[in-house]
Amino acid sequence: MKRYLLSLFLMSTLCFAVVPERVSNNIEKDSFTKDNSSLYVRDQNRAYNRILSLGKKEGLSEDKIDNEVKRLEKKYGTDYEIIYKNFYYNVKELSKNQKKAEEIRKINEEKKEEYNVLIKKNEMPSDIKEYIEKSAESRYPDNYSERVKYTEDLIKFYNFIKK
């Protein structure tokens, strides 16, 4: 029985060793107001550990995780189960936005190459070509998809007038 209790004690300290002192102090302060404080402390520690594992799974650094937890603590207090739920949705939204931004960046790179080919292959006077390039660049400085559309329209217009 002593071995069992000792192993249980060691396992519980190993499970909660990841929790920073700031978080542990918050949990301890709140546990005094709860009826079953040992269960409350256990649940809060588990919730915090789930926050850490989710953040690491999504590729966030410990600093980013800690900053997000601090931000959520200001908003929701020190109930880490509630913070975990909000952290989960925030991380999923952040991950979705990062994937979307990466897609847009990739498409923009492809369109940049297409834009360069479009400008080079057109046979028109250099002053008109230069005007089209400057106009497209000033209207759409970072959006090559729109720049390609705009340049194609100007080239079509030039060819229409030329005829």
Side-chain angles (χ1 to χ4, degrees):
M1 184 70 171
K2 288 181 184 178
R3 287 184 185 167
Y4 175 73
L5 289 175
L6 182 62
S7 65
L8 184 63
F9 176 74
L10 288 174
M11 288 296 284
S12 66
T13 56
L14 289 175
C15 290
F16 303 135
V18 178
V19 178
E21 188 174 334
R22 172 186 58 82
V23 173
S24 181
N25 290 340
N26 288 339
I27 293 170
E28 289 296 322
K29 279 186 227 173
D30 288 347
S31 70
F32 293 123
T33 62
K34 307 297 180 193
D35 290 339
N36 203 345
S37 64
S38 61
L39 291 176
Y40 175 80
V41 169
R42 184 197 67 196
D43 291 343
Q44 295 298 308
N45 283 324
R46 283 183 181 171
Y48 186 80
N49 286 329
R50 286 187 296 184
I51 291 170
L52 289 177
S53 66
L54 176 64
K56 289 178 182 176
K57 180 182 171 187
E58 292 294 327
L60 297 175
S61 67
E62 288 186 23
D63 290 337
K64 285 185 179 180
I65 295 170
D66 195 42
N67 289 338
E68 183 66 16
V69 168
K70 285 178 183 175
R71 187 184 71 75
L72 291 171
E73 281 176 351
K74 289 177 185 175
K75 193 172 186 180
Y76 298 107
T78 56
D79 189 347
Y80 292 98
E81 291 177 336
I82 292 173
I83 290 174
Y84 170 73
K85 291 174 186 174
N86 289 286
F87 183 82
Y88 176 82
Y89 292 115
N90 291 350
V91 165
K92 291 299 181 182
E93 188 69 27
L94 179 68
S95 178
K96 186 173 82 173
N97 289 343
Q98 282 180 333
K99 288 177 184 176
K100 188 176 180 180
E102 183 66 28
E103 268 182 43
I104 290 171
R105 189 192 61 75
K106 185 186 280 187
I107 290 171
N108 205 25
E109 287 296 319
E110 292 171 1
K111 290 294 185 175
K112 184 177 182 178
E113 292 174 19
E114 184 180 334
Y115 174 74
N116 291 333
V117 169
L118 180 67
I119 290 295
K120 288 179 183 176
K121 79 173 185 177
N122 264 316
E123 297 177 11
M124 59 177 73
S126 63
D127 57 336
I128 293 175
K129 190 183 284 190
E130 190 175 304
Y131 171 77
I132 290 174
E133 283 183 73
K134 285 183 181 178
S135 178
E137 186 176 340
S138 67
R139 281 187 180 231
Y140 307 105
D142 297 325
N143 190 344
Y144 282 94
S145 297
E146 293 297 321
R147 197 185 288 189
V148 166
K149 291 176 188 175
Y150 181 72
T151 303
E152 286 174 344
D153 289 343
L154 287 179
I155 291 170
K156 286 177 186 176
F157 182 69
Y158 171 77
N159 289 333
F160 176 75
I161 291 175
K162 188 174 133 182
K163 290 182 181 180

